């Protein structure tokens, strides 16, 4: 079955759920210890076995489209510099001067052929090579080849720059993304326009991520924003390795699908149904006609916190000033929905779990995506030799 045929079949299943008043379901309920959201030891193991080993989204290709473009940021508490080299490829390195450990470039975007340390003016090419030492005659002999910026494994695929935070590790991005590679590549994200970003702060990364994986909360938590558009508690889940495509039927699904030829149902996303794509461990993508939101959840620095960067792209740059203003308004609106409604709830969940009032969190049969996600986290954290990964 081809890609759009698969999406069409998922749309048909969502329509069936709406007509029968049912939803995609797991075989039974599932409990997760409350300590999985609060325990420092478990959090440290998550960081070691997941976030320091797997490829992580560091930048969208659209953020650094031209040679010399760069993005400086903090990822998992580590200062990172991602650059577009003169040959069009990408590089990633620790944003730390090899002389005395000074942060080389402040957070943000820009375009530079070289980076000069603000402390002692050591200078690096945008691929991380040391090309200049201030006053070298007085400083003494140094092997520049040994004093470049610490390189990080980096690869560009499907319109995203992926980085591994452990120097020297290899990135098998096709193996990691699996079927999600095709799902992303079909959109040609590398050709899109980067609109901007917003930053919000929330609870434990899994509490935040849980919210992207189910629509059970739409009616209660989003009564005026999402629920008027989408049914509450009707979902369809497709696993692509550890990643998921979660389908949410719109209240107009019957009308929209009946107006389109059956063979075209897979090509009318956002017309009758929506998908949220989750890329394990910490990214969700919502494609919409007006603008696309890419949420990057960064755990820590404690189990009770996460920083989320909302990155916004769309196919074309602003047409004029009015369009640019409309884009800004849309980014602010989407930020407020996630921040005030999702993370507002999540922070209260974190407080409740930290109180010790309950020993476990229970996920219903309808919360099938959450169950799969937590099984996958535990599979990686437990590290049992030869253990097969969970299936949806």
């Amino acid at each position: 079955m081809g890609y759009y045929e698969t999406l069409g079949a998922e749309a048909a299943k969502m329509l069936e759920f709406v007509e029968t008043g049912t939803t995609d379901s797991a075989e039974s309920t599932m409990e997760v210890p409350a300590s999985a959201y609060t325990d420092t030891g478990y959090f440290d193991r998550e960081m070691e076995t997941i976030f320091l080993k797997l490829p992580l989204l560091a930048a969208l290709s659209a953020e650094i489209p031209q040679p010399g473009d760069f993005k400086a940021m903090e990822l998992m508490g580590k200062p990172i510099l991602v650059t577009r080299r003169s040959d069009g490829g990408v590089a990633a390195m620790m944003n730390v001067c090899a002389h005395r450990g000074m942060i080389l470039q402040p957070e943000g975007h820009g375009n530079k052929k070289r980076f000069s340390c603000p402390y002692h003016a050591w200078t690096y090419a945008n691929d991380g090579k040391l090309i200049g030492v201030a006053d070298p005659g007085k400083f003494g002999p140094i092997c520049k080849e040994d004093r470049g910026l610490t390189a990080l494994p980096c690869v560009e695929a499907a319109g995203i720059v992926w980085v591994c935070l452990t120097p020297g590790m290899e990135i098998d991005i096709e193996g990691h993304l699996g079927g999600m590679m095709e799902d992303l590549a079909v959109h040609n994200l590398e050709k899109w326009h980067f609109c901007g970003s917003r930053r919000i702060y929330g609870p434990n990364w899994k509490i935040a991520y849980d919210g992207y994986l189910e629509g059970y909360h739409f009616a209660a938590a989003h009564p005026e924003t999402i629920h008027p558009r989408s049914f509450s508690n009707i979902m369809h889940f497709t696993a692509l390795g550890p990643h998921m495509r979660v389908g949410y039927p719109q209240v107009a699904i019957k009308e929209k699908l009946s107006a389109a030829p059956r063979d075209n149902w897979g090509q009318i996303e956002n017309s009758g149904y929506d998908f949220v794509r989750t890329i394990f461990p910490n990214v969700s993508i919502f494609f919409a006609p007006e603008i696309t939101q890419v949420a990057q959840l960064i755990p820590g620095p404690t189990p009770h916190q996460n920083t989320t960067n909302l990155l916004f792209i769309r196919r074309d740059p602003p047409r004029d000033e009015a369009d640019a203003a409309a884009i800004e308004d849309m980014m602010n609106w989407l930020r407020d929905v996630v921040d005030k409604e999702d993370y507002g709830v999540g922070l209260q969940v974190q407080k409740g779990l930290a109180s010790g009032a309950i020993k476990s969190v229970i996920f219903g049969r309808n919360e099938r995506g959450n169950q799969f996600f937590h099984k996958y986290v535990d599979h990686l954290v437990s590290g049992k030799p030869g253990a097969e990964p969970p299936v949806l």
Side-chain angles (χ1 to χ4, degrees):
M1 186 180 292
Y3 174 71
Y4 286 111
E5 289 179 301
T6 299
L7 296 193
E10 293 174 21
K13 196 65 180 176
M14 283 186 265
L15 177 61
E16 177 187 329
F17 289 150
V18 168
E19 292 178 332
T20 58
T22 58
T23 188
D24 205 342
S25 297
E27 292 183 359
S28 62
T29 60
M30 171 184 160
E31 293 189 48
V32 171
S35 60
Y37 298 96
T38 61
D39 182 71
T40 300
Y42 192 80
F43 177 80
D44 290 343
R45 293 195 295 276
E46 290 174 337
M47 299 307 103
E48 177 64 29
T49 59
I50 298 175
F51 285 89
L52 295 183
K53 296 294 192 296
L54 295 182
L56 302 178
L57 181 153
L60 303 175
S61 299
E63 291 184 80
I64 52 170
Q66 301 300 324
D69 284 351
F70 70 84
K71 178 183 181 181
M73 64 175 297
E74 190 170 286
L75 187 58
M76 306 304 304
K78 298 181 182 294
I80 305 298
L81 184 62
V82 180
T83 64
R84 177 78 62 187
R85 302 190 308 258
S86 59
D87 64 2
V90 293
M93 57 217 82
M94 299 294 289
N95 185 22
V96 178
C97 180
H99 172 215
R100 296 266 289 277
M102 177 66 182
I103 300 299
L104 193 63
Q105 177 66 40
E107 181 178 354
H109 298 78
N111 186 286
K112 288 184 177 182
K113 293 182 178 179
R114 57 186 59 89
F115 297 88
S116 182
C117 178
Y119 196 5
H120 296 96
W122 281 32
T123 304
Y124 302 84
N126 81 338
D127 61 0
K129 294 177 181 176
L130 177 62
I131 57 176
V133 174
D135 210 349
K138 293 180 180 178
F139 187 85
I142 183 174
C143 180
K144 292 181 181 177
E145 288 74 14
D146 294 338
R147 288 289 174 174
L149 302 180
T150 300
L152 293 172
C154 177
V155 64
E156 186 172 25
I160 295 173
V161 179
W162 309 89
V163 167
C164 177
L165 294 178
T166 299
M169 286 194 70
E170 293 187 7
I171 293 181
D172 176 10
I173 196 62
E174 291 189 3
H176 175 63
L177 290 178
M180 186 57 76
M181 175 74 86
E182 178 187 22
D183 197 286
L184 294 175
V186 72
H187 295 280
N188 297 311
L189 297 181
E190 67 277 1
K191 299 179 181 179
W192 288 32
H193 173 76
F194 178 63
C195 301
S197 65
R198 300 291 186 270
R199 179 169 293 169
I200 57 178
Y201 301 92
N204 178 275
W205 69 281
K206 297 190 300 297
I207 290 176
Y209 208 62
D210 277 336
Y212 293 103
L213 296 173
E214 49 87 359
Y216 187 29
H217 69 284
F218 285 177
H222 304 293
E224 298 179 358
T225 52
I226 296 177
H227 190 226
R229 172 189 176 94
S230 302
F231 283 100
S232 192
N233 203 24
I234 301 180
M235 299 82 71
H236 182 274
F237 304 99
T238 299
L240 302 167
H243 323 294
M244 277 182 278
R245 186 169 56 234
V246 186
Y248 297 102
Q250 298 174 6
V251 295
I253 187 171
K254 293 182 183 180
E255 172 190 348
K256 296 294 185 180
L257 293 189
S258 64
R262 176 61 181 82
D263 290 345
N264 290 351
W265 282 10
Q267 301 181 49
I268 58 172
E269 183 175 347
N270 304 126
S271 181
Y273 62 90
D274 300 297
F275 288 115
V276 169
R277 292 157 171 87
T278 62
I279 304 175
F280 189 87
N282 67 327
V283 172
S284 82
I285 302 178
F286 175 60
F287 290 99
E290 305 88 355
I291 198 168
T292 288
Q293 174 181 285
V294 181
Q296 175 198 40
L297 283 70
I298 303 175
T302 73
H304 305 272
Q305 302 166 275
N306 95 82
T307 298
T308 296
N309 295 317
L310 302 175
L311 311 174
F312 297 97
I313 53 176
R314 71 175 202 172
R315 293 185 182 275
D316 302 304
R319 295 180 296 272
D320 49 36
E321 290 186 5
D323 191 30
I327 291 173
E328 291 294 321
D329 289 342
M330 179 61 68
M331 291 191 292
N332 289 335
W333 185 84
L334 288 167
R335 175 204 58 200
D336 290 345
V337 169
V338 179
D339 189 26
K340 297 177 181 179
E341 298 180 8
D342 289 300
Y343 281 24
V345 168
L347 288 167
Q348 295 303 306
V349 170
Q350 187 73 60
K351 185 180 294 185
L353 294 177
S355 74
I358 59 175
K359 299 303 180 184
S360 66
V361 170
I362 185 167
F363 290 101
R365 295 177 60 241
N366 58 325
E367 298 174 299
R368 187 182 183 191
N370 302 81
Q371 293 193 24
F372 177 68
F373 166 64
H374 283 274
K375 288 176 183 177
Y376 222 103
V377 171
D378 194 58
H379 164 71
L380 294 177
V381 171
S382 64
K384 297 177 182 176
E388 291 294 321
V391 295
L392 184 64

